[in-house]
């Protein structure tokens, strides 16, 4: 049994299948679907538990104790770290004159193996560990001189979202890693677009840490290797990151324009965008009368006219002041009058109507009054308890709860 958010899970599942041994892998519930499915594809039983790796790991220890399983730690194991360190041998074989090696850090297994072997082969090689800023457990541990547990982690780099680094690995990191850099999530998004557009490679967020770190080091005329530690990214995550990256680069943006309510104005806006070779992805039009210090209320269908439900419209919004607890009496005034029970029946009836004419009111709060203005007149709710209908000829339920809904 093991706990992992990606690569180690698949490695254990694959090795267990080759050995003909049952394998159970505990993964955080936030693990991308592609990692879960690939692990299952190698024949392992996958258990989803906890929001982060540390919670999944605790559950794996519990299952190991209950069922007598052998626990294979994803990073805090010197044999596992040594196996991951073989990457350093591959790097030095291909580029013997390498000056810098950048390594992602989650719990520290990969960085321990790579840095230890690199320093053994060439002590002049600088090894830099890279962590997400929202899960920088190793950097904080080095700062305090002991292994510490972060209160929480928050990063899109799910493969390195670890609260506590490995106890067995910490001395090796202290001795062999020259520096640790932390990377914000926004930098990972930019790095993802760089890799896709310039190198045609799909790299998961944890693997992108070392790419984003290139902008943080001064390595002019130096030979630098960034270890890309994984490509486990599902399509939904990929599309979301691409969208955010385009927004960050100002290739997708939002324009809000106030236009006169007359034909042809929207076409003018479209023409201006076309002149700049822009394309419209999505368009929302909200029609309302704008006045200073007046806030538009969102609207849907709804209510009803006292005179045989001739007009139907809905008001939707938040009043901004709470109905006092002691003032529980709700009254409505109109030319025709009406009781609360009649109101409830009428509202339910109105909500079932398929066709409804719409009225676009605007609202503002003046002292203790809520004022709704529309083409038919003005409605004033004094102290949020009674309604003066004026010329609207409509019925609004009084009180905070009804206005909110």
């Amino acid at each position: 049994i093991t706990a992992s958010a990606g690569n180690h899970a698949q490695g254990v599942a694959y090795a267990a299948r080759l050995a003909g041994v049952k394998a159970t892998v505990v993964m955080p519930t936030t693990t991308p679907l592609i990692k879960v499915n690939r692990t299952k594809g190698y024949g392992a039983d996958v258990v989803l538990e906890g929001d982060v790796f540390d919670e999944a790991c605790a559950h794996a220890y519990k299952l190991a104790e209950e069922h007598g399983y052998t626990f294979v730690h994803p990073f805090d194991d010197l044999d596992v770290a040594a196996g991951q360190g073989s990457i350093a041998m591959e790097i030095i074989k291909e580029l013997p004159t390498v000056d810098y090696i950048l390594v992602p850090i989650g719990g520290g297994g990969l960085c321990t193996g790579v840095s230890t072997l690199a320093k053994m082969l060439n002590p002049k090689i600088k090894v830099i560990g890279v962590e997400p800023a929202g899960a920088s457990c190793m950097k904080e541990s080095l700062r305090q001189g002991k292994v510490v547990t972060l209160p929480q982690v928050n990063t899109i780099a799910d493969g390195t979202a670890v609260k506590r680094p490995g106890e067995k690995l910490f001395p090796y990191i202290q001795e062999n890693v020259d520096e640790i850099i932390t990377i914000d999530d926004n930098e990972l998004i930019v790095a993802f677009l760089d890799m896709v557009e310039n190198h045609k490679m799909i790299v998961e967020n944890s693997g992108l840490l070392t790419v984003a770190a290139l902008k943080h080091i001064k390595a002019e005329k130096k030979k630098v290797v960034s270890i890309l530690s994984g490509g486990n990214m599902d399509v939904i995550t990929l599309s979301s990151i691409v969208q955010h990256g385009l927004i960050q680069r100002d290739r997708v943006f939002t324009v809000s324009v106030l236009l006169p309510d007359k034909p042809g104005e929207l076409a003018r806006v479209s023409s201006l965008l076309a002149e700049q070779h822009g394309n419209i992805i999505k368009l929302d039009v909200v029609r309302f009368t704008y006045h200073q210090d007046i806030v538009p209320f969102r609207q849907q269908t709804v209510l009803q006219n006292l005179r045989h439900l001739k007009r139907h419209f809905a008001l939707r919004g938040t009043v901004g002041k709470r109905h006092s607890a002691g003032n529980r009496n709700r009254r409505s005034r109109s030319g025709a009058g009406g009781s609360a029970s009649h109101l409830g029946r009428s509202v339910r009836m109105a909500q079932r109507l398929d066709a409804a004419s719409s009225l676009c009111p605007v609202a503002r709060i003046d002292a203790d009054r809520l004022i709704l203005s529309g083409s038919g007149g003005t409605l004033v709710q004094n102290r949020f308890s009674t309604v003066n209908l004026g010329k609207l000829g409509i019925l609004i339920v009084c009180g905070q709860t009804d206005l909110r809904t």
Side-chain angles (χ1 to χ4, degrees):
I1 188 170
T2 189
S4 172
N7 290 336
H8 182 74
Q10 295 172 59
V12 169
Y14 178 72
R17 187 177 71 176
L18 291 180
V21 178
K22 176 187 175 182
T24 301
V25 179
V26 184
M27 310 179 85
T29 56
T30 54
T31 304
L33 185 62
I34 186 174
K35 295 184 180 182
V36 175
N37 289 341
R38 283 181 176 173
T39 304
K40 288 180 178 179
Y42 289 123
D45 296 329
V46 175
V47 178
L48 299 178
E49 181 70 29
D51 293 329
V52 294
F53 163 78
D54 302 80
E55 295 172 3
C57 189
H59 187 67
Y61 272 121
K62 179 182 176 183
L63 293 177
E65 185 176 349
E66 290 177 355
H67 301 283
Y69 297 152
T70 300
F71 185 81
V72 183
H73 203 286
F75 52 82
D76 200 17
D77 183 302
L78 296 182
D79 289 331
V80 171
Q84 295 174 338
S86 62
I87 294 175
M89 179 65 76
E90 297 178 29
I91 292 172
I92 292 173
K93 280 184 176 179
E94 292 190 31
L95 187 64
T97 56
V98 59
D99 297 302
Y100 288 80
I101 300 178
L102 275 58
V103 192
I105 293 182
L110 176 63
C111 192
T112 293
V114 170
S115 62
T116 301
L117 183 55
K119 293 292 185 179
M120 287 174 60
L121 297 174
N122 183 358
K124 293 183 180 180
I125 296 175
K126 284 195 172 184
V127 180
I128 298 177
V130 192
E131 287 185 299
S136 55
C137 61
M138 188 65 78
K139 186 169 186 176
E140 183 61 24
S141 296
L142 289 174
R143 188 183 70 82
Q144 296 191 29
K146 61 180 181 179
V147 175
V148 299
T149 302
L150 298 178
Q152 62 180 12
V153 294
N154 183 19
T155 175
I156 61 174
D158 57 278
T160 47
V162 178
K163 289 183 177 180
R164 184 180 181 87
E167 297 268 0
K168 299 175 183 178
L169 311 177
F170 189 63
Y172 295 90
I173 297 291
Q174 285 180 306
E175 181 179 352
N176 298 317
V177 175
D178 297 278
E179 181 185 357
I180 290 186
I181 296 172
T182 57
I183 301 297
D184 292 329
D185 283 356
N186 288 337
E187 296 178 84
L188 295 178
I189 293 173
V190 173
F192 179 82
L193 281 188
D194 286 339
M195 293 301 295
V196 170
E197 292 187 326
N198 299 326
H199 300 283
K200 317 306 178 193
M201 295 176 66
I202 301 296
V203 183
E204 67 178 87
N205 292 319
S206 295
L208 290 168
L209 288 166
T210 56
V211 178
L214 292 172
K215 296 181 180 180
H216 293 258
I217 63 174
K218 295 180 180 179
E220 291 81 4
K221 298 181 180 180
K222 299 291 184 181
K223 295 175 182 177
V224 183
V225 173
S226 292
I227 296 179
L228 312 180
S229 60
N232 301 301
M233 181 173 288
D234 61 72
V235 176
I236 294 175
T237 303
L238 190 151
S239 62
S240 175
I241 290 177
V242 169
Q243 182 73 8
H244 281 82
L246 293 174
I247 292 172
Q248 281 192 27
R249 290 185 170 186
D250 291 331
R251 289 165 63 177
V252 175
F253 55 90
T254 301
V255 179
S256 181
V257 186
L258 187 65
L259 299 172
D261 190 7
K262 63 180 182 180
E265 293 299 317
L266 192 57
R268 289 179 57 204
V269 174
S270 178
S271 297
L272 290 171
L273 292 174
E275 289 174 7
Q276 301 301 319
H277 307 289
N279 193 25
I280 297 175
I281 299 174
K282 183 180 179 181
L283 176 64
D284 289 318
V285 180
V286 180
R287 299 181 62 190
F288 61 85
T289 306
Y290 180 85
H291 298 290
Q292 189 175 5
D293 298 325
I294 291 181
V295 183
F297 263 47
R298 292 187 179 218
Q299 66 169 44
Q300 230 161 325
T301 7
V302 151
L303 295 180
Q304 42 113 16
N305 190 291
L306 281 178
R307 299 177 181 176
H308 310 293
L309 303 177
K310 288 183 179 177
R311 301 188 68 179
H312 317 287
F313 68 95
L315 303 177
R316 218 176 141 200
T318 300
V319 169
K321 286 199 176 184
R322 293 191 176 276
H323 193 285
S324 61
N327 187 5
R328 300 189 180 275
N329 293 325
R330 297 179 178 175
R331 296 175 294 154
S332 60
R333 295 179 182 176
S334 71
S339 66
S341 60
H342 172 71
L343 255 172
R345 291 194 302 271
S346 299
V347 169
R348 287 192 293 272
M349 184 186 302
Q351 288 174 336
R352 293 191 185 101
L353 297 172
D354 294 329
S357 61
S358 63
L359 181 65
C360 241
V362 290
R364 64 185 173 88
I365 294 178
D366 181 12
D368 287 329
R369 297 182 302 166
L370 172 70
I371 301 176
L372 301 175
S373 299
S375 58
T378 300
L379 176 152
V380 180
Q381 186 176 356
N382 294 307
R383 299 187 183 278
F384 306 99
S385 60
T386 59
V387 171
N388 225 337
L389 289 174
K391 298 179 181 179
L392 280 175
I394 56 146
L395 187 61
I396 300 292
V397 183
C398 306
Q400 174 208 9
T401 302
D402 299 295
L403 282 172
R404 283 180 179 271
T405 56

